Amino acid sequence: RGGNSFMRRNDPRFAGGKRLVWMLLVIVTSFLLLSMRRLSGGSEFSLGSSRADIDNDIIQVLGLIDSNQDELIKWLSDAVRIQSVSVGEMRNNSGLESAREFYVNLAKRVGLDEIKIAGSNPGTVLAKRRGQASKPVLVYVHWDVQPAVDGQGGWAHDPFDVQAQGDRLYGRGVSDDKAAAIGWLWVIEQFNKAGVPLSVDIRIMAEGEEEIGSPQLKQVVDMESLEGGFLSGVKYMMVSDGSFVSDRPCVVQGTRGVVHFYVSVSGAPRDLHSGTFGGGVYEPLSEMSSLMASLSDGKGTVMVEGFKEIKYPRIDSEELKQFGLDVSEWERLAGTEKATTRVPEALLERVWGSPSVSVHGIGSSADFEAAAISGSASAHFSIRIPAGMNPDEVAETTVRHLKSKFEAFKTPNKLQISVTQKAPGFAVQSGSQLHAAISRAVKRARHVEPENARLGGAIPVAAFLSTANPESEVLVLPIGGRTDNAHGHESISRQDLHYGTRTFALILDELSRL
């Protein structure tokens, strides 16, 4: 029916058809292998090898992460319900202790069986679970939060009761930092459910005083970094905190530090009638206003006497150019019509790599409507400092400046200055194994290359870890988006929560392959 078979094999038309069939087979096979890679989050796939088994394991874990998001939100909601406020007059010591115990119990539930508390209340939880291979990996998180009150700061409901509005979940701590604190434990639980053993020796450091500058943590880090300590021998350290700086996920290579100051000026033991005594007494509030005005040029640039002599390394201009900041979008996000500069690299330099001063509030003893001369005045301000700038030197120089300005008033009033927090900045170069592993994991989870970025805010633990462990690789890994409004009307998107937990799982997978 088909004619002579020998003639068909030697017929050019038959040879061309055969090549077409082989090409189709190659295309179909390639498509199947690519599909397998995509199911595994983009990892390499090798038929008939142990690598294939590894990929099958992570596929199972990712499948559980994708299908169990409601459980994750339940865990997160339970954590948010605990009012673990560490800041100021609203500090809730019982809430901090309850949050610590909640976290310890959850850590035990998912199999972290070596747990201790370092430091005084609320302390720092140090939890460990040994993996199949001795590859120690550290994850830092915190469970304390900023204050929040129903009816204030945009809250139209109890801030400690998670409420869903569209794709977003609203509640104090949902982004900063309980999403990460709970997310890592929940991801480990998905490994448990899948019957997939961890291939890395995971260690979690969770503290309860990050929002007030981690006053106990440096001592804990230094002690635990000694030989035989919790941090000894850990090569890869991830600070799971912060938020993205644009619409793309990022790996944070640096943060600024911060120094906080509280200042008071006291005069008469009572408020005075401005009609009777105005012009005849030295006024504390006027003096305080002059002191605060002497700190900056109104654009955040520090004008403290002697400040320019404090040396610090500058960010490489190429790093700033590569980020590609959209100034108009940055202005929209800030709610301002005009940034202090509209040159993208210069703006990034100002908010990432230069010192800046912000006055957070000025108060007085007199009622605002009373037309009185205040007997006393107080103020709170901070100076953000770039990585490499010495916070002790900043504090000493600023205190000296304030005292000099006050002495020039020739006033009988009394000045008091308190430095309440000193946290150094942090910076590392890209190109480390940890940076590459995290970047691959983010790309596998989100199908987009992460940005290399810095944060203008302070995350003291990053500097503590890198200083005490110079041989280790330290990076900051945010889970939340730039619109989360962490210290305000706080929220996180379900998408970031979902992709963030996928990223956590894939980071463990990537690190197990190093």
Side-chain angles (χ1 to χ4, degrees):
R1 210 169 90 176
N4 185 288
S5 61
F6 175 81
M7 292 298 296
R8 287 204 314 272
R9 285 195 297 270
N10 288 276
D11 190 304
R13 291 172 298 174
F14 176 79
K18 187 176 181 180
R19 282 195 298 272
L20 179 60
V21 170
W22 277 109
M23 288 175 64
L24 288 171
L25 284 172
V26 169
I27 290 171
V28 170
T29 303
S30 299
F31 175 79
L32 288 172
L33 289 174
L34 180 60
S35 298
M36 292 174 182
R37 289 188 62 205
R38 288 181 66 86
L39 283 170
S40 67
S43 59
E44 295 178 15
F45 190 86
S46 175
L47 290 174
S49 70
S50 60
R51 186 64 171 270
D53 296 333
I54 294 173
D55 287 340
N56 286 332
D57 285 346
I58 196 63
I59 289 171
Q60 292 182 60
V61 174
L62 292 176
L64 289 172
I65 288 174
D66 293 344
S67 61
N68 290 339
Q69 286 293 301
D70 287 344
E71 179 189 64
L72 170 60
I73 293 171
K74 172 66 167 56
W75 283 32
L76 179 58
S77 299
D78 289 344
V80 169
R81 196 168 292 115
I82 303 171
Q83 300 185 21
S84 50
V85 176
S86 62
V87 181
E89 295 179 356
M90 296 186 69
R91 182 183 174 97
N92 186 338
N93 287 319
S94 63
L96 288 167
E97 292 175 20
S98 295
R100 181 194 65 211
E101 293 310 306
F102 176 87
Y103 200 79
V104 167
N105 290 333
L106 207 54
K108 290 178 179 177
R109 170 178 168 175
V110 304
L112 280 83
D113 51 5
E114 297 182 42
I115 299 175
K116 68 177 181 177
I117 310 298
S120 58
N121 280 336
T124 299
V125 177
L126 305 177
K128 182 190 299 185
R129 173 170 164 174
R130 299 188 183 280
Q132 284 187 317
S134 181
K135 293 182 178 179
V137 174
L138 175 75
V139 175
Y140 163 89
V141 294
H142 68 90
W143 74 77
D144 65 315
V145 299
Q146 288 280 329
V149 178
D150 188 2
Q152 298 179 15
W155 293 103
H157 64 85
D158 179 357
F160 298 96
D161 179 25
V162 173
Q163 298 288 320
Q165 297 179 26
D167 179 55
R168 303 198 71 83
L169 303 171
Y170 286 83
R172 174 56 82 229
V174 289
S175 178
D176 182 20
D177 182 41
K178 291 183 178 180
I182 297 301
W184 279 101
L185 295 183
W186 182 80
V187 164
I188 294 172
E189 179 71 349
Q190 306 318 298
F191 275 84
N192 296 340
K193 288 180 179 179
V196 175
L198 291 178
S199 297
V200 297
D201 181 349
I202 190 164
R203 305 180 187 191
I204 293 181
M205 172 182 281
E207 73 154 329
E209 291 185 313
E210 191 275 343
E211 297 293 355
I212 58 171
S214 304
Q216 301 186 60
L217 196 60
K218 185 179 187 303
Q219 184 177 359
V220 171
V221 168
D222 290 346
M223 182 66 66
E224 296 296 337
S225 297
L226 299 175
E227 187 173 354
F230 181 77
L231 300 174
S232 176
V234 179
K235 183 176 182 181
Y236 306 116
M237 299 181 171
M238 292 173 286
V239 177
S240 200
D241 196 6
S243 57
F244 305 150
V245 297
S246 76
D247 290 332
R248 283 172 58 191
C250 64
V251 180
V252 176
Q253 298 175 222
T255 68
R256 287 195 292 186
V258 67
V259 183
H260 280 272
F261 302 82
Y262 283 83
V263 184
S264 66
V265 176
S266 56
R270 67 186 188 282
D271 299 337
L272 302 174
H273 192 286
S274 60
T276 304
F277 296 101
V281 297
Y282 290 86
E283 299 191 16
L285 184 54
S286 295
E287 292 169 355
M288 181 64 75
S289 299
S290 295
L291 288 176
M292 293 301 102
S294 74
L295 296 172
S296 80
D297 62 353
K299 299 179 181 179
T301 302
V302 181
M303 302 299 288
V304 171
E305 293 172 0
F307 210 87
K308 290 182 179 179
E309 281 68 52
I310 303 177
K311 304 300 182 184
Y312 63 93
R314 303 282 179 165
I315 300 178
D316 185 84
S317 58
E318 285 304 311
E319 179 183 337
L320 299 173
K321 288 179 182 177
Q322 289 174 6
F323 186 77
L325 178 68
D326 183 334
V327 175
S328 296
E329 178 61 17
W330 189 92
E331 290 170 333
R332 186 197 66 77
L333 188 65
T336 183
E337 293 182 0
K338 182 183 178 182
T340 53
T341 175
R342 300 208 83 253
V343 178
E345 293 80 16
L347 183 56
L348 284 177
E349 171 65 31
R350 288 181 69 86
V351 299
W352 285 358
S354 296
S356 66
V357 62
S358 298
V359 178
H360 306 302
I362 301 176
S364 70
S365 56
D367 185 87
F368 183 74
E369 302 289 345
I373 297 172
S374 299
S376 63
S378 59
H380 171 209
F381 72 93
S382 67
I383 298 179
R384 299 285 172 173
I385 58 175
M389 181 173 272
N390 188 323
D392 292 322
E393 193 173 359
V394 168
E396 292 168 5
T397 302
T398 305
V399 169
R400 188 165 53 246
H401 166 87
L402 290 170
K403 288 181 176 180
S404 174
K405 290 294 183 183
F406 191 75
E407 287 175 4
F409 298 154
K410 306 295 183 182
T411 175
N413 294 332
K414 306 301 181 185
L415 173 70
Q416 288 188 317
I417 306 169
S418 298
V419 180
T420 59
Q421 181 183 339
K422 292 184 290 186
F426 156 79
V428 295
Q429 298 297 318
S430 61
S432 68
Q433 286 185 314
L434 178 60
H435 183 278
I438 292 176
S439 297
R440 288 193 300 270
V442 172
K443 187 175 181 180
R444 290 169 66 186
R446 294 177 177 262
H447 305 293
V448 63
E449 289 281 358
E451 295 176 309
N452 294 325
R454 298 191 182 220
L455 299 179
I459 303 180
V461 65
F464 298 159
L465 289 171
S466 61
T467 300
N469 301 274
E471 301 302 316
S472 301
E473 298 177 12
V474 182
L475 284 172
V476 178
L477 175 68
I479 185 174
R482 62 173 178 164
T483 59
D484 287 1
N485 198 15
H487 289 184
H489 188 208
E490 186 176 356
S491 67
I492 192 170
S493 74
R494 293 174 185 264
Q495 176 176 281
D496 283 337
L497 194 60
H498 182 188
Y499 283 137
T501 46
R502 283 177 62 89
T503 300
F504 293 168
L506 289 164
I507 287 173
L508 296 179
D509 180 53
E510 288 289 346
L511 291 176
S512 72
R513 303 174 189 233
L514 295 181

